[in-house]
Amino acid sequence: MRFDYFNLMVSCQGEDDKPRVPVHCGHKKDKWYDEKLLVSPLIANCVEFFNYSAAGEILPIEEPSKKVAAETTIENLSLNIPKLQRMRQAAIDAELELLDNDDFNEEEIRNIIKDYLELDNDGKYKPFCAAIIYTLQNYY
């Protein structure tokens, strides 16, 4: 499975060869791979496995067919370490603060969500876009 593209896991925070402390994401994953329990970012519907709290916690959805894989992925990649939760919360709070300072209507919020679904000039999504999109869709 070493050269199977579905054994890839996008590393967060631009990880390099030096593990981040605390160890998380790709370095935490290490050689762990389970085709049925890894929610890979390479599958089109990977965002459908997770919910987010306003406090930055990544949560498994309650749907039984996806919940175990989501829980296993969260655990095996240490996606809920305090550092990542704080970073998610800061990204969510920054967007909510902007919305609180202005009167945004539903259409404008949809446009903000659409913007988060677009790749930037470097071909990347904005950091923590899934958590921000989830929050905007569920709280506005």
Side-chain angles (χ1 to χ4, degrees):
M1 297 298 283
R2 181 176 174 192
F3 295 107
D4 182 343
Y5 284 106
F6 284 95
N7 193 20
L8 295 175
M9 176 55 65
V10 174
S11 295
C12 56
Q13 299 178 333
E15 289 189 28
D16 48 26
D17 292 336
K18 287 176 58 178
R20 306 288 181 187
V21 177
V23 178
H24 58 284
C25 298
H27 289 293
K28 173 68 172 158
K29 176 188 171 291
D30 194 28
K31 292 177 176 59
W32 173 78
Y33 176 75
D34 184 317
E35 184 177 343
K36 294 179 182 175
L37 294 176
L38 172 67
V39 181
S40 169
L42 299 176
I43 60 173
N45 68 336
C46 64
V47 297
E48 296 174 10
F49 284 75
F50 306 103
N51 292 330
Y52 299 87
S53 74
E57 186 178 10
I58 186 170
L59 306 164
I61 66 164
E62 290 298 320
E63 184 180 323
S65 66
K66 295 177 180 173
K67 183 176 183 176
V68 173
E71 289 173 333
T72 304
T73 298
I74 291 166
E75 177 68 26
N76 281 293
L77 274 66
S78 292
L79 298 178
N80 267 331
I81 61 172
K83 175 183 178 177
L84 291 177
Q85 284 187 28
R86 284 190 307 272
M87 292 171 70
R88 271 189 223 105
Q89 183 177 17
I92 290 167
D93 287 349
E95 190 62 46
L96 294 179
E97 186 175 319
L98 288 175
L99 292 175
D100 286 343
N101 290 335
D102 292 311
D103 291 325
F104 284 87
N105 62 39
E106 209 171 305
E107 181 180 345
E108 291 169 321
I109 292 172
R110 279 195 302 272
N111 286 334
I112 293 169
I113 291 170
K114 184 178 174 187
D115 185 50
Y116 274 101
L117 292 168
E118 304 268 327
L119 299 174
D120 66 16
N121 292 336
D122 295 326
K124 298 178 181 180
Y125 290 104
K126 292 175 182 75
F128 305 110
C129 63
I132 294 167
I133 291 168
Y134 176 85
T135 301
L136 294 175
Q137 288 174 332
N138 288 282
Y139 295 103
Y140 283 92

